[in-house]
Amino acid sequence: MTAAPARKSRQGRRARLQAQSAAAPASPAGFTRGIPYYNFLDEQSLCRLEAQADWLLEEIGIRFQGDEQALQRWREAGADVQGDIVHLPTGLARHLCKTAPTEFTQLARNPERNVRLGGRHGVFAPAYGSPFVRCAEKGRRYGSLEDFHNFVKLTYLSPWLHHGGGVVCEPCDIPVNKRHLDMIYAHLRYSDKPFLGAITLKNRAEESIEMCRIAFGAEVMEHHCVVMGNVNTNSPLVVDKVASEAMAAYAAANQGMIIVPFILGGAMGPVTTAAGLAQSLAEAMTCVAYTQLVRPGAPAVLGSFLSSMSLKSGAPTFGMPEPVMSNYAYGQLARRLGVPTRFGGALTASKLPDAQAAYESADSLQSTMLGGANYILHSAGWLESGLVMGYEKFILDVDRLGYMQRILVGMASDDNALARDAYREVPVGKHFLGCGHTMANYKTAFYDAQLSNSESFEQWTEEGAEDAVVRANKKWRRMLADYVPPELDPGIDEALQEYIAKTKSSRADAWY
Amino acid sequence: MTAAPARKSRQGRRARLQAQSAAAPASPAGFTRGIPYYNFLDEQSLCRLEAQADWLLEEIGIRFQGDEQALQRWREAGADVQGDIVHLPTGLARHLCKTAPTEFTQLARNPERNVRLGGRHGVFAPAYGSPFVRCAEKGRRYGSLEDFHNFVKLTYLSPWLHHGGGVVCEPCDIPVNKRHLDMIYAHLRYSDKPFLGAITLKNRAEESIEMCRIAFGAEVMEHHCVVMGNVNTNSPLVVDKVASEAMAAYAAANQGMIIVPFILGGAMGPVTTAAGLAQSLAEAMTCVAYTQLVRPGAPAVLGSFLSSMSLKSGAPTFGMPEPVMSNYAYGQLARRLGVPTRFGGALTASKLPDAQAAYESADSLQSTMLGGANYILHSAGWLESGLVMGYEKFILDVDRLGYMQRILVGMASDDNALARDAYREVPVGKHFLGCGHTMANYKTAFYDAQLSNSESFEQWTEEGAEDAVVRANKKWRRMLADYVPPELDPGIDEALQEYIAKTKSSRADAWY
């Protein structure tokens, strides 16, 4: 452990926490939902899905592959472990989830950006994990550390993204076994929003947590969540050792764990939506339960990522009816379990930020809003089924996140909203443009979408007849040109760089 | 009246009604909702909005401009008429709406395409009223009768559009005082779906109805709705003579009337959303009530078209949070009134079928689905705030209407959907691609979006790297090339053409 840097951290924390960025807008630290959930499934259907999840866990079981410590924990918890397949008696997983917090706070480096997850509270975070990036000028190419920095900066500057996400793109120019260090550093250095750590190997998870100890102080982390991991199960019904060890590492450190079964219907689960949904509940609930075996009370998020399949190509499709319905229903299932949930995002199979991308992304995103997701990863930038992080797509998506958040606030119907004075002032048939009520309210009455052009055809033509992608391109270039990094305590910065240099020098480069 | 053609019509009707088109797919005759409504506002807010509508009608009143017959009808109904402003005592409008049917059927020329409106039943119809059209090759230009024919044909061929709409674009090459005849003829000749008639002058409304008498028979129309008009009020709180006479013409003939206040917040109503919503209810409810004064039991639809305003340009904006919230709420208000409702569509301010257009259209459309609209005009083709009907936009929208209708069916959670046999067949960790349950279900498991490309980047590149607009362009060209008109009884065709020739020759061309 790195006690000296942690001390430095404590000394600088107050100044650091009070520092305000000169560049990033005062964005809300997450959203708080003021509108009802969309309750898609009836009670009977929900009970059937829950019973199916129980049946799966008891009869079929779930494999914890190659992780003897996990199997031992399950034996001690009362599961019937046969080989590496864990059979959970009905109700055990649900019971163990009871110690997971219904809501929790993840601290940010800037306390004004601390976020609350669970219940009516949630966040939007950018897309995660693409090896490629795309922009209008250079097209599609492998992501680099420079691209990674750019997306961390753009996320920092975007008021409608509350969470930094994690692997905003793969920095493919950095060795695989070292890039997590550069990624965590970038989140800490170029942003002050909360973020996700590495999960791709046990030591990478631990090193992510260690870097957070340097930045936040070890004792803060004993009592607060400052970093989370986002882990996929290996559906159907398998949790591999990398995943279970990452869960154990984060939970043991009292840090958050988001567990997300990725189920492509017809491949990693049955082709019918209800089956995929119940399987997702079974897998994710078991993993949340597992974090509670490691450390009761550790924060955990119940995730789901269901995709439909193209009959033409067998490829996953996004923004389609079946996963959207799943999202509505998964929110209901998560609320009944009492654990924060993650699903959805601005998902698309399109290769370009075109109409296909926008239709699919919009329809996918709206189900997160109405279904009640708390942690919404892949909210901005996602293209090509997740293979590509798009610069222009990122900007366009963020604008619609503002739209979503306006709806999440809800609609006022108080006296000011009903505007009786306006009707008394304006004669029947006359317009309301200059009346007192309009003047008092117009600035806040409507969401001001930055990327939507509503000018006349003539004016738009005069200004260059730019489509949405051209406008988005200009916007991200301007944002990066104007970017000013948030302050970071020099002592912490030095300690982080020291830690990274030491850790990097301790191993040879690995490229796969 | 044209008794002779009506007789011809009766003779040929059975054969005609039994004739099946060789070209148009067997599309569902409307959708029947299997999923819950999204109940956005709570009881208290709904009561406040209803009380506000009552207050508006009693205290502020609504002008029936220049239509003495309408004012007389209101006097007789018990309203307090001061000049041309009608003040309705609280509850009167709502009470009069009780004779309007909660559900009704509009007959189509092909009885398999008859549609049900109200309750859980609804239809999607294309965009209405644009003077311009746009396609990828020719760009933006005034619409022509050829364009009108094209959009009627494309609508006929689109399985997810159940209703032909009306002015699918303005045929600007035909005199203003004659084009309604060509439009009604095109709906009857090139499609067999139900449609809307003219409302822009009293005689045009009457001539639309007369042409339907030729096609359907006068006595059928006494008992069935075969044509509807779609009329805007002149918000705020004005119904002009053209509108009230069109309402009277359709209602007197027992035909349907859709009444739609268009309220741009801050101009035709207060800038706050709740006020616009209550005003829309007040205006539309009054007009529905008016149709019932003309003929109790005449079908009527309570419409709403609320738009937000750009702070930059003062222009209307679409697909924005405020109108989307209005849609959710308007569905609730309409259900409480017990009248079918119209709102929404695939609306956008974008000049092109780009990402802006798709985001805004998707977000606008989904609120019609979840809010429970019955008649959804502007579902396909709308661009540039309604000034343009887009060929590619039309194709792209229709594909997402299929998406919507898949969701409206809902999600099965029966034994087949839960697929326990599949789990018994497939070992833990293995894929479900070839298992019996997948083979039995894969063909119907997922919506097959025709315009969404989900192929790999490599395959997509090899096939020309086409964006969504290029694919849509190919699709509508192919559809028109393959188009085969539905059968039309030659006697009716002849009678329609005779009626059109006679009517056209009775007046000089007018171009405005």
Side-chain angles (χ1 to χ4, degrees):
Chain A
M1 301 283 159
T2 53
R7 269 204 299 278
K8 266 195 210 165
S9 164
R10 277 195 296 279
Q11 288 160 5
R13 196 170 340 120
R14 177 158 305 186
R16 185 179 71 250
L17 297 186
Q18 285 172 349
Q20 284 285 342
S21 155
S27 56
F31 60 80
T32 298
R33 176 185 200 87
I35 64 172
Y37 300 106
Y38 178 46
N39 288 314
F40 181 71
L41 290 185
D42 60 19
E43 177 70 19
Q44 193 190 6
S45 303
L46 292 167
C47 289
R48 284 179 66 83
L49 291 173
E50 289 171 341
Q52 170 88 351
D54 282 338
W55 174 83
L56 278 172
L57 293 177
E58 180 155 345
E59 292 292 319
I60 307 295
I62 182 164
R63 171 174 293 144
F64 276 72
Q65 192 166 292
D67 185 346
E68 185 46 45
Q69 195 178 12
L71 295 173
Q72 186 54 32
R73 284 188 171 117
W74 278 118
R75 276 185 213 104
E76 285 165 12
D80 172 19
V81 179
Q82 298 177 8
D84 58 0
I85 296 187
V86 178
H87 296 262
L88 289 90
T90 287
L92 176 60
R94 186 168 288 270
H95 174 74
L96 290 171
C97 287
K98 285 194 194 306
T99 57
T102 301
E103 293 185 15
F104 64 93
T105 296
Q106 181 181 0
L107 300 188
R109 201 157 70 68
N110 175 350
E112 298 197 358
R113 301 194 195 277
N114 292 349
V115 297
R116 189 92 183 139
L117 290 167
R120 295 194 158 265
H121 308 285
V123 298
F124 289 99
Y128 184 110
S130 12
F132 299 101
V133 298
R134 174 184 279 280
C135 73
E137 291 93 346
K138 296 192 202 165
R140 183 186 192 261
R141 60 195 190 274
Y142 277 106
S144 67
L145 188 59
E146 187 188 347
D147 292 308
F148 191 96
H149 288 174
N150 286 344
F151 281 110
V152 168
K153 292 173 184 175
L154 291 171
T155 300
Y156 168 66
L157 294 171
S158 296
W160 307 117
L161 288 167
H162 320 100
H163 196 282
V167 184
V168 288
C169 68
E170 283 287 348
C172 297
D173 49 348
I174 307 292
V176 166
N177 62 341
K178 299 181 176 176
R179 62 176 68 148
H180 61 289
L181 302 164
D182 293 311
M183 292 194 274
I184 302 295
Y185 179 76
H187 280 294
L188 287 166
R189 182 68 200 88
Y190 301 116
S191 180
D192 60 6
K193 294 185 179 181
F195 58 91
L196 303 173
I199 47 85
T200 48
L201 269 185
K202 187 181 175 187
N203 77 293
R204 296 176 198 161
E206 289 170 347
E207 287 162 12
S208 300
I209 294 166
E210 194 52 37
M211 286 179 72
C212 291
R213 287 203 180 98
I214 296 172
F216 288 85
E219 88 298 352
V220 168
M221 287 181 72
E222 264 307 298
H223 303 289
H224 299 283
C225 172
V226 308
V227 66
M228 298 199 291
N230 181 78
V231 166
N232 286 140
T233 56
N234 286 43
S235 305
L237 298 167
V238 176
V239 180
D240 67 25
K241 190 183 179 185
V242 168
S244 58
E245 285 188 345
M247 291 174 206
Y250 279 84
N254 201 28
Q255 301 305 298
M257 180 47 59
I258 306 169
I259 299 115
V260 190
F262 167 44
I263 302 176
L264 171 58
M268 293 89 108
V271 78
T272 39
T273 303
L277 199 45
Q279 182 184 320
S280 184
L281 175 64
E283 295 182 13
M285 183 166 69
T286 300
C287 292
V288 170
Y290 181 65
T291 64
Q292 304 306 300
L293 292 181
V294 174
R295 178 160 172 168
V301 175
L302 188 87
S304 169
F305 195 103
L306 269 72
S307 159
S308 47
M309 189 192 279
S310 163
L311 290 185
K312 287 193 273 290
S313 62
T317 54
F318 296 95
M320 290 299 148
E322 299 77 20
V324 163
M325 290 191 280
S326 305
N327 286 348
Y328 296 144
Y330 208 70
Q332 295 178 278
L333 293 166
R335 289 192 289 283
R336 289 159 72 101
L337 187 61
V339 176
T341 187
R342 176 208 141 180
F343 53 78
L347 310 179
T348 179
S350 182
K351 268 53 79 182
L352 302 169
D354 63 353
Q356 178 190 341
Y359 279 112
E360 293 176 353
S361 295
D363 283 328
S364 179
L365 257 184
Q366 67 85 6
S367 65
T368 69
M369 170 179 82
L370 294 179
N374 303 105
Y375 188 86
I376 306 161
L377 195 66
H378 308 313
S379 295
W382 169 293
L383 276 176
E384 208 183 302
S385 307
L387 285 175
V388 172
M389 182 70 161
Y391 279 87
E392 290 81 19
K393 177 68 164 30
F394 180 97
I395 296 296
L396 292 163
D397 284 336
V398 166
D399 209 33
R400 298 310 288 178
L401 297 180
Y403 157 94
M404 296 275 157
Q405 289 169 63
R406 179 66 176 246
I407 292 182
L408 283 163
V409 170
M411 188 173 92
S413 62
D414 58 6
D415 288 346
N416 181 60
L418 293 177
R420 291 195 178 183
D421 283 348
Y423 290 104
R424 293 189 183 104
E425 181 183 343
V426 177
V428 164
K430 299 299 177 189
H431 70 68
F432 289 74
L433 286 169
C435 79
H437 180 266
T438 300
M439 298 315 288
N441 288 279
Y442 80 96
K443 281 186 187 163
T444 55
F446 302 123
Y447 173 60
D448 184 20
Q450 297 293 311
L451 270 294
S452 280
N453 183 299
S454 59
E455 300 189 338
S456 70
F457 176 73
E458 291 71 22
Q459 198 171 348
W460 172 80
T461 305
E462 207 168 283
E463 289 167 6
E466 295 175 342
D467 70 12
V469 172
V470 173
R471 297 195 297 272
N473 179 268
K474 286 187 177 174
K475 171 136 186 168
W476 71 258
R477 294 201 167 276
R478 198 165 53 241
M479 286 168 77
L480 287 184
D482 295 346
Y483 168 80
V484 178
E487 285 185 36
L488 175 63
D489 181 292
I492 291 176
D493 196 357
E494 195 185 314
L496 287 169
Q497 296 202 41
E498 235 170 69
Y499 179 82
I500 293 169
K502 189 187 69 183
T503 309
K504 281 192 171 181
S505 69
S506 72
R507 63 187 68 130
D509 290 357
W511 286 98
Y512 52 87
Chain B
M1 300 285 161
T2 54
R7 268 203 300 278
K8 266 194 209 162
S9 164
R10 277 195 295 280
Q11 287 158 6
R13 197 171 338 124
R14 177 157 307 185
R16 186 179 71 248
L17 297 187
Q18 286 171 352
Q20 283 286 339
S21 154
S27 56
F31 60 79
T32 298
R33 176 185 200 86
I35 63 172
Y37 300 106
Y38 178 45
N39 289 314
F40 181 71
L41 289 186
D42 60 20
E43 177 71 18
Q44 194 192 3
S45 303
L46 291 167
C47 289
R48 284 178 67 82
L49 291 172
E50 288 171 342
Q52 169 88 350
D54 282 338
W55 174 83
L56 278 171
L57 293 176
E58 181 156 344
E59 293 293 318
I60 307 295
I62 180 163
R63 172 175 291 145
F64 276 72
Q65 192 166 292
D67 186 346
E68 186 45 46
Q69 195 177 13
L71 295 173
Q72 186 55 31
R73 284 190 171 116
W74 279 119
R75 277 185 211 103
E76 286 165 11
D80 173 19
V81 179
Q82 298 178 6
D84 59 359
I85 296 186
V86 178
H87 296 262
L88 289 90
T90 287
L92 176 60
R94 185 169 290 270
H95 173 73
L96 291 171
C97 287
K98 285 194 194 307
T99 57
T102 301
E103 293 184 16
F104 65 92
T105 296
Q106 181 180 2
L107 301 187
R109 201 158 69 68
N110 175 350
E112 297 198 355
R113 302 194 194 277
N114 292 349
V115 297
R116 189 95 183 137
L117 290 166
R120 295 196 158 263
H121 308 286
V123 299
F124 289 98
Y128 183 110
S130 11
F132 299 100
V133 297
R134 173 185 280 280
C135 72
E137 291 94 346
K138 297 190 202 166
R140 184 186 192 261
R141 59 193 190 275
Y142 276 106
S144 67
L145 188 59
E146 187 189 345
D147 292 309
F148 192 97
H149 288 173
N150 286 344
F151 281 111
V152 168
K153 291 172 185 176
L154 291 171
T155 300
Y156 168 66
L157 293 172
S158 296
W160 308 117
L161 287 168
H162 320 99
H163 196 283
V167 184
V168 287
C169 69
E170 284 286 350
C172 298
D173 49 349
I174 307 292
V176 166
N177 61 342
K178 299 182 176 177
R179 63 175 67 150
H180 61 288
L181 303 163
D182 293 310
M183 291 195 273
I184 303 294
Y185 179 76
H187 279 294
L188 287 166
R189 181 68 200 88
Y190 300 117
S191 179
D192 60 5
K193 295 184 179 180
F195 59 90
L196 303 174
I199 47 87
T200 47
L201 269 185
K202 187 181 176 190
N203 78 295
R204 296 176 197 160
E206 289 170 346
E207 288 163 10
S208 299
I209 294 166
E210 195 52 36
M211 285 180 73
C212 291
R213 288 203 180 96
I214 296 172
F216 288 85
E219 87 296 355
V220 169
M221 287 181 70
E222 265 306 297
H223 304 290
H224 299 283
C225 173
V226 309
V227 67
M228 297 199 291
N230 181 78
V231 166
N232 286 139
T233 56
N234 286 42
S235 305
L237 298 167
V238 177
V239 180
D240 67 25
K241 190 183 179 187
V242 168
S244 58
E245 286 188 343
M247 290 174 207
Y250 278 84
N254 201 28
Q255 302 304 299
M257 180 47 59
I258 306 169
I259 299 113
V260 189
F262 166 44
I263 302 175
L264 170 59
M268 294 90 111
V271 77
T272 40
T273 302
L277 199 46
Q279 183 185 319
S280 184
L281 175 64
E283 294 183 12
M285 185 165 70
T286 300
C287 293
V288 170
Y290 181 65
T291 64
Q292 303 305 301
L293 292 181
V294 175
R295 177 159 171 167
V301 175
L302 187 88
S304 170
F305 195 103
L306 270 70
S307 160
S308 46
M309 190 192 277
S310 162
L311 290 184
K312 286 193 273 290
S313 61
T317 54
F318 295 96
M320 291 297 149
E322 298 78 20
V324 162
M325 289 190 280
S326 305
N327 286 347
Y328 296 144
Y330 208 70
Q332 295 178 277
L333 293 167
R335 288 192 289 282
R336 289 159 72 101
L337 187 61
V339 176
T341 187
R342 177 209 142 180
F343 53 76
L347 310 178
T348 179
S350 182
K351 269 53 79 182
L352 302 169
D354 63 353
Q356 178 190 344
Y359 279 112
E360 292 176 354
S361 295
D363 283 327
S364 179
L365 257 183
Q366 67 85 6
S367 65
T368 70
M369 171 178 85
L370 294 180
N374 303 108
Y375 188 85
I376 306 160
L377 196 67
H378 308 312
S379 296
W382 168 293
L383 276 176
E384 209 184 301
S385 308
L387 284 176
V388 172
M389 181 69 160
Y391 279 87
E392 289 80 19
K393 176 68 162 35
F394 180 98
I395 297 296
L396 292 164
D397 285 337
V398 165
D399 209 34
R400 298 309 289 180
L401 297 180
Y403 156 95
M404 295 276 158
Q405 288 169 64
R406 179 66 177 247
I407 292 181
L408 283 163
V409 170
M411 188 174 89
S413 62
D414 58 5
D415 288 346
N416 181 61
L418 293 177
R420 292 197 178 182
D421 283 350
Y423 289 104
R424 292 188 184 106
E425 182 184 340
V426 177
V428 164
K430 299 300 176 187
H431 71 69
F432 289 74
L433 286 170
C435 80
H437 179 266
T438 300
M439 297 314 288
N441 288 279
Y442 80 95
K443 282 186 187 163
T444 56
F446 302 123
Y447 173 60
D448 185 19
Q450 297 292 311
L451 270 293
S452 279
N453 184 299
S454 59
E455 299 189 339
S456 70
F457 176 73
E458 291 71 23
Q459 199 172 348
W460 172 78
T461 304
E462 207 168 284
E463 290 168 4
E466 296 175 342
D467 70 11
V469 172
V470 173
R471 297 195 298 271
N473 179 269
K474 287 188 177 174
K475 171 138 184 167
W476 72 259
R477 296 204 164 273
R478 198 166 53 241
M479 286 168 77
L480 288 183
D482 295 345
Y483 168 81
V484 178
E487 285 184 34
L488 175 63
D489 181 293
I492 291 176
D493 196 357
E494 196 185 313
L496 287 168
Q497 296 202 40
E498 238 171 67
Y499 179 81
I500 292 169
K502 190 188 69 186
T503 310
K504 281 192 171 180
S505 68
S506 73
R507 63 186 68 131
D509 290 356
W511 286 99
Y512 52 87

